[in-house]
Amino acid sequence: MTPESGTPESGTPESGTPVSVFSGLKVLDASSFIAGPAAATVLSDFGADVIKIEPPGTGDPQRRLSSVPPSPQAEANYSWHLANRNKRGMVLDLKSPAAVEVLKRLVRWADVVITNFPHGTREKLHLGYEEVAGWNPRVVYADLTGFGDAGPDARQPGFDLTAFWSRSGLLASTRDAGAPPTVPVWGSGDYTTAIAVYAAITTALYHRERTGQGANVGTSLLATGVWATGTLVAGALAHGTPFELHDRKAPANPLINPYQTADGEWFMLVASPTRWPGLTRAVGHPELLEDPRFADLEGMVRHADALTELLDTEFRSQTFDHWKDALSRERITYSLIQTPEAAARDQQLRDNDIVVPLAGVSGLTETVGSPVTLRGVPKVPAKRAPDLGEHNGEILAELGFGPAEIAELHAGGAVPGTPPQEPPR
């Protein structure tokens, strides 16, 4: 993980970047959309030097996600900066024969290569594992697919809505009884999968530290989706009866259910049976302890509709602030069901670096931090994601290309754009 001699090391006191866990680690991000790039972003949060390569034209399609209807156009491209902060950017036409030498030098430069091109396509673009490992045997090659490496759907394109949510069983399990499936938060499966890719990479780096050998690691959106649905899928594997779809009026357990308050707020109640006495006091009906229908959890389940109606009536009689005090006093677990807008204003997120400052973006001063924390080890401060091809000249020079070679790469279209001009003599 030590940079080659003569190559500027990221994350050193000389570079002005705080030394962190992955200072000096070099990552080639040859992926698009969210999961692969976000995994590289987590590495960058801990000091890795990440070079992101994009195709000519419009670049990574994620650059356009912040303006996809019906979401109103935001002042800043928040989606792009969320998954690509702290990286250097390069445009490289992998379809150009002249780009092969650039890619080869990038691979030899890198400790980690991340890609999510489909099988078949990646080999045509010289990003298949065998070719990459041939150029750099110590490389950690991390890839991401929609549906895995084998089986009839191995080459089928996959997105988080299709592979992570739909195929895994997760989407069918997260709707109310009688309601059709809905469209979940786009990107949610991708960002979950990004942490799995990050975990695979760090596991491989530890393996390389012990053995000196590179590794071929990866995951799929389907695998992480099934992992997220693991309780239900494992139950089905055991031929058990899966949980039924939730019915708020007659839930499987009335003590675990959303309820609405007098001021229109919704909160999620998660009360264990041992907290039933405290809940009866909180709602002002301690006499419910004597009601034989609710003497135990089995009775509550049999009479779920009656207990839910009773709790509905009581919770709708007072504001959320009232219930916040009453439930907290009895040490009953609950949470306000916040909108994303409310979550963005929540001070708890800032106190725990879940929302962090973002530098260099007009109209955007904060972004979402990655969920990995090493206590006592600071993360690299978040700064803006690169403009398209912003660091072409800088990176080519670091890779050892001279001015004439760079001009040829530009002229041939392998590295689109205008080559840097030599300073006047």
Side-chain angles (χ1 to χ4, degrees):
M1 292 190 286
T2 302
E4 298 292 336
S5 177
T7 302
E9 180 177 346
S10 68
T12 64
E14 292 76 18
S15 69
T17 303
V19 175
S20 191
V21 177
F22 293 128
S23 293
L25 184 75
K26 294 168 291 187
V27 179
L28 176 60
D29 178 7
S31 60
S32 59
F33 283 106
I34 298 175
T41 294
V42 183
L43 292 167
S44 79
D45 284 342
F46 291 102
D49 181 6
V50 180
I51 292 177
K52 180 179 181 67
I53 57 174
E54 300 178 71
T58 56
D60 184 339
Q62 193 184 356
R63 287 183 177 272
R64 303 189 295 277
L65 286 184
S66 297
S67 58
V68 172
S71 173
Q73 177 67 56
E75 182 177 350
N77 195 343
Y78 55 87
S79 174
W80 177 247
H81 293 290
L82 173 57
N84 291 282
R85 60 175 178 266
N86 294 346
K87 299 178 184 179
R88 294 191 286 166
M90 182 180 189
V91 170
L92 184 63
D93 186 357
L94 294 175
K95 297 178 181 179
S96 169
V100 177
E101 180 60 29
V102 181
L103 181 61
K104 183 185 297 185
R105 294 194 195 186
L106 283 167
V107 168
R108 287 175 174 170
W109 166 88
D111 294 292
V112 178
V113 172
I114 304 173
T115 187
N116 66 336
F117 283 109
H119 289 291
T121 300
R122 67 179 69 171
E123 284 75 17
K124 291 178 182 178
L125 298 177
H126 304 280
L127 273 170
Y129 173 70
E130 296 300 331
E131 190 165 7
V132 167
W135 292 337
N136 183 355
R138 282 176 49 82
V139 77
V140 170
Y141 179 94
D143 75 345
L144 171 70
T145 63
F147 297 94
D149 296 330
D153 297 328
R155 297 197 178 197
Q156 180 177 329
F159 293 92
D160 75 331
L161 294 181
T162 58
F164 179 94
W165 278 99
S166 300
R167 188 71 174 270
S168 68
L170 184 59
L171 185 57
S173 306
T174 51
R175 58 189 172 97
D176 284 343
T182 186
V183 177
V185 177
W186 55 268
S188 53
D190 283 313
Y191 282 107
T192 301
T193 302
I195 297 302
V197 177
Y198 170 79
I201 291 169
T202 54
T203 302
L205 288 172
Y206 182 69
H207 169 79
R208 191 178 76 172
E209 192 72 21
R210 299 186 69 184
T211 67
Q213 299 174 353
N216 182 1
V217 301
T219 189
S220 67
L221 291 165
L222 178 61
T224 53
V226 172
W227 181 253
T229 325
T231 300
L232 300 184
V233 175
L237 291 172
H239 307 292
T241 302
F243 291 107
E244 296 179 356
L245 292 178
H246 184 75
D247 182 347
R248 207 198 68 78
K249 292 292 187 181
N253 181 352
L255 304 187
I256 302 177
N257 202 32
Y259 293 97
Q260 192 174 31
T261 62
D263 50 350
E265 298 284 7
W266 284 90
F267 72 95
M268 181 64 72
L269 178 70
V270 182
S272 64
T274 58
R275 296 295 178 186
W276 173 236
L279 182 59
T280 65
R281 292 191 295 270
V283 300
H285 286 282
E287 73 279 2
L288 288 175
L289 286 178
E290 307 303 322
D291 192 320
R293 295 176 300 172
F294 314 133
D296 52 31
L297 183 58
E298 289 75 13
M300 294 179 189
V301 171
R302 283 197 305 273
H303 302 283
D305 52 348
L307 182 52
T308 300
E309 183 178 5
L310 189 154
L311 292 175
D312 264 337
T313 299
E314 293 307 318
F315 286 131
R316 285 198 180 109
S317 70
Q318 299 287 347
T319 66
F320 176 74
D321 282 344
H322 169 87
W323 295 117
K324 180 179 178 180
D325 292 339
L327 295 173
S328 297
R329 188 165 53 248
E330 296 292 346
R331 300 180 63 81
I332 294 169
T333 303
Y334 70 94
S335 179
L336 178 67
I337 298 175
Q338 296 195 131
T339 63
E341 292 80 8
R345 298 189 296 268
D346 193 329
Q347 185 60 39
Q348 188 72 12
L349 275 61
R350 289 162 182 80
D351 291 344
N352 289 278
D353 293 329
I354 299 170
V355 165
V356 296
L358 176 67
V361 183
S362 176
L364 184 64
T365 59
E366 295 176 306
T367 190
V368 178
S370 58
V372 179
T373 298
L374 273 69
R375 293 183 178 87
V377 177
K379 292 181 182 178
V380 173
K383 64 178 185 297
R384 68 175 179 86
D387 294 332
L388 187 62
E390 179 178 348
H391 302 98
N392 278 4
E394 172 187 311
I395 294 169
L396 288 171
E398 286 187 19
L399 294 174
F401 290 96
E405 293 174 298
I406 294 175
E408 287 182 13
L409 290 169
H410 281 284
V415 183
T418 304
Q421 300 297 313
E422 291 193 48
R425 297 178 185 273

